[in-house]
Amino acid sequence: MSEVMKNYAAIVLAAILVNNYVLSQFLGICPFLGVSKKLDQAAGMSVAVIFVMLLATAVTYPIQFFVLNELDLAYLQTIVFILVIAALVQLVEIILKKYIPALHASLGVYLPLITTNCAVLGVCISNIDNYLLTKDFGPGFAQAMFNSLGSGLGFLLAMVLFSGVRSRVDKCKCPECFKGMPITLISAAIVSVSFMGFAGVVDKLLGG
C-alpha cells in the first residue's frame, strides 16, 4: 500500500473508530438518542448524515480556502457554515420527499434536525482546523473529504450498533427508576467506554 493510500486509510479508520464523533467526541447526541430505536430509521438517518457531511465539506472547505481566508472573514466561519449546512439539509429533504417518500415519512422531524446536528458542523470545522494547513488546495481537500466519509461511517456504525443495543435493553427487565431515558443513557455510556479500546488500533493496523 502506498504512503498516500495509507494516509487516507488512517484518516478514515481513525474517524470511524478512534475519533468517533458520537461515541468519542459526544457530538450528534440528539439523533443518536432519538432515531436509534429502529434499525431502518437509524440506517436511513445515518445515510442522510453521511451525504450531508460530504456535501457540506465539499462546499465549506473551498469557501473557507478561497473566500473567507482571502477576504479576512474567517470570523464568519460558524455563521456561514451553519447557513450552508441548512441549505444542504433542505436539498436532501426535497430529494428524499420526491424519490424516497417512505424514508422521508419515517424520519419525520429528525430529518430537519440534521441542520442542528453538531456532528455535521463539527466535521466541517475540524476539517478546516486539521487539513487547511497548506497553501496547496488539493491534498488538504482530499484529506478533508476522506475525514468526512470516515466521520459519516462512524456515525452510521454508532447508530446501527446502538440500535441493536436498545432493542436488547427494551426487552430486559430493569428497576422502574431506570426505565426509559435513564437506562438508554447508561447503555450509551457503556458503548462509548467500549470504543476506548480502539485507541492506537489504527497505527497497529497500518504499521504506523
Side-chain angles (χ1 to χ4, degrees):
M1 184 184 295
S2 67
E3 287 300 319
V4 174
M5 292 306 298
K6 274 190 176 183
N7 183 36
Y8 290 151
I11 290 173
V12 172
L13 286 176
I16 295 174
L17 301 176
V18 182
N19 302 317
N20 188 287
Y21 270 80
V22 178
L23 299 175
S24 295
Q25 302 188 47
F26 307 107
L27 297 175
I29 296 298
C30 292
F32 176 67
L33 296 176
V35 197
S36 58
K37 291 182 179 180
K38 296 182 180 180
L39 180 59
D40 56 343
Q41 289 185 2
M45 177 72 166
S46 300
V47 171
V49 168
I50 292 172
F51 185 64
V52 171
M53 280 184 176
L54 289 170
L55 272 181
T57 298
V59 175
T60 57
Y61 192 97
I63 288 176
Q64 181 74 40
F65 192 93
F66 294 112
V67 180
L68 298 183
N69 286 359
E70 292 295 325
L71 299 177
D72 292 326
L73 296 175
Y75 59 90
L76 294 176
Q77 180 192 78
T78 302
I79 296 174
V80 172
F81 284 12
I82 289 175
L83 291 175
V84 169
I85 292 168
L88 293 174
V89 169
Q90 290 300 312
L91 175 63
V92 171
E93 186 172 9
I94 291 171
I95 292 173
L96 288 181
K97 189 174 183 179
K98 183 174 182 179
Y99 296 105
I100 317 178
L103 178 58
H104 178 269
S106 67
L107 291 176
V109 70
Y110 294 107
L111 184 57
L113 283 180
I114 297 178
T115 303
T116 57
N117 186 343
C118 51
V120 179
L121 180 61
V123 167
C124 294
I125 294 178
S126 175
N127 287 331
I128 301 303
D129 293 340
N130 295 326
Y131 304 115
L132 198 65
L133 303 175
T134 173
K135 293 183 179 180
D136 188 1
F137 176 79
F141 180 70
Q143 290 174 333
M145 291 300 292
F146 274 98
N147 182 62
S148 297
L149 175 61
S151 301
L153 293 174
F155 187 87
L156 172 63
L157 174 64
M159 290 287 287
V160 171
L161 181 64
F162 195 57
S163 176
V165 170
R166 289 188 72 170
S167 66
R168 296 292 297 274
V169 169
D170 290 343
K171 296 177 182 178
C172 296
K173 293 182 180 180
C174 66
E176 191 68 28
C177 60
F178 285 106
K179 288 185 177 180
M181 190 53 65
I183 193 64
T184 300
L185 292 174
I186 292 172
S187 302
I190 294 173
V191 173
S192 177
V193 169
S194 70
F195 266 64
M196 294 175 63
F198 290 115
V201 70
V202 174
D203 288 340
K204 290 184 178 296
L205 285 176
L206 298 176

